[in-house]
Amino acid sequence: MNKIYPSAAAALQGIVRDGQLLAVGGFGLCGIPEALIDALHDTGVRDLTVISNNAGVDGFGLGKLLETRQISKMISSYVGENKEFERQYLAGELQLEFTPQGTLAEKLRAGGAGIPAFFVRTGVGTLVAQGKESRVFDGHVHILEQALVPEVSLVKAWKADKSGNLLFRRTARNFNPAVAMAGQITVVEVEEIVETGTFDPDSVHLPGIYVHRIVLNAHPEKRIEKRTITEKTVKTGV
């Protein structure tokens, strides 16, 4: 089965539509599938519910889809760097399901593992718990969280072999593997594609069984969200 597609646009053809539930990997701007997000933007699909740790920044990443109003709801844990997100949410133009970061990761992991729901202490006594079933375990209240199973997952990895086995680099390994596991259809953008059998099996981060389509983006922008540098200190003698 050939999983490799000639472009991001081709990799999305026939699998995206209005009103879908999608998941997008990345942590801040690290490890986001830039080419796939751009291709999704160009499809013009609308009324999307997007699961992502954050919503990119203005004019980049998922911020592009917010500017064109293609996203109607976000399921996220951190949204503090996107002014257009803030404006739309406060104006009642965008729905938001705030989810604690660890809970969001587990909801995706559970979806990929076939676990429909789980109990967790995080969020008890807050708005997160409203309308959710609760039970007491070991003397502590827990709330029931449902797993997330997106129709399509868009993922960024470092390398893939032709069977779809993946390697991630550093922080890009944060949400991307769980997003890949959870998707009914998973499309992966990678910087390098190698022959099957190149990887040591013990080094594979995610097996190809979770990957349906692969597209090469050898030169992603990899924009830095907030550049922090250390100023040089001038030492003076006495």
Side-chain angles (χ1 to χ4, degrees):
M1 177 182 177
N2 180 26
K3 297 183 178 182
I4 301 172
Y5 283 70
S7 67
L12 296 185
Q13 191 169 2
I15 62 171
V16 295
R17 57 176 175 78
D18 292 349
Q20 274 186 317
L21 175 64
L22 282 79
V24 180
F27 189 75
L29 294 184
C30 180
I32 65 171
E34 301 169 23
L36 289 171
I37 292 172
D38 286 347
L40 183 62
H41 170 274
D42 293 344
T43 66
V45 294
R46 309 190 69 80
D47 194 28
L48 299 173
T49 296
V50 177
I51 306 159
S52 182
N53 173 63
N54 73 323
V57 295
D58 295 283
F60 191 69
L62 291 175
K64 290 185 177 181
L65 301 180
L66 287 170
E67 289 179 353
T68 52
R69 306 298 184 86
Q70 290 172 261
I71 299 175
S72 60
K73 179 179 179 179
M74 289 290 305
I75 300 174
S76 299
S77 59
Y78 178 71
V79 296
E81 301 299 329
N82 193 309
K83 294 298 182 183
E84 178 60 16
F85 187 114
E86 177 185 354
R87 189 201 65 75
Q88 289 185 24
Y89 175 65
L90 293 177
E93 300 169 5
L94 177 71
Q95 297 180 64
L96 172 61
E97 186 176 320
F98 249 142
T99 306
Q101 190 159 265
T103 302
L104 181 63
E106 182 63 9
K107 284 162 78 78
L108 289 162
R109 191 203 68 83
I115 300 169
F118 57 93
F119 282 97
V120 65
R121 289 177 65 184
T122 306
V124 171
T126 72
L127 292 174
V128 171
Q130 287 187 355
K132 296 176 181 176
E133 179 184 342
S134 64
R135 289 180 62 181
V136 176
F137 297 94
D138 296 326
H140 298 284
V141 177
H142 293 65
I143 57 175
L144 184 67
E145 294 282 3
Q146 293 189 0
L148 291 169
V149 183
E151 296 171 71
V152 175
S153 284
L154 306 183
V155 172
K156 168 66 186 296
W158 178 36
K159 294 182 180 181
D161 67 18
K162 291 183 177 179
S163 295
N165 298 303
L166 302 180
L167 300 182
F168 300 92
R169 276 197 97 212
R170 298 187 173 96
T171 308
R173 195 177 172 185
N174 198 312
F175 271 91
N176 275 299
V179 168
M181 290 175 62
Q184 295 177 10
I185 300 175
T186 295
V187 187
V188 182
E189 172 184 328
V190 299
E191 297 176 43
E192 185 178 349
I193 300 173
V194 300
E195 293 294 330
T196 299
T198 300
F199 300 148
D200 178 343
D202 283 340
S203 72
V204 171
H205 295 150
L206 190 78
I209 191 172
Y210 293 107
V211 176
H212 303 90
R213 301 185 177 191
I214 305 167
V215 63
L216 179 67
N217 180 14
H219 304 288
E221 182 177 343
K222 294 186 179 180
R223 188 181 301 187
I224 296 174
E225 188 170 354
K226 284 190 176 181
R227 184 181 296 275
T228 303
I229 59 174
T230 301
E231 295 182 3
K232 290 184 178 180
T233 302
V234 179
K235 293 184 179 180
T236 57
V238 178

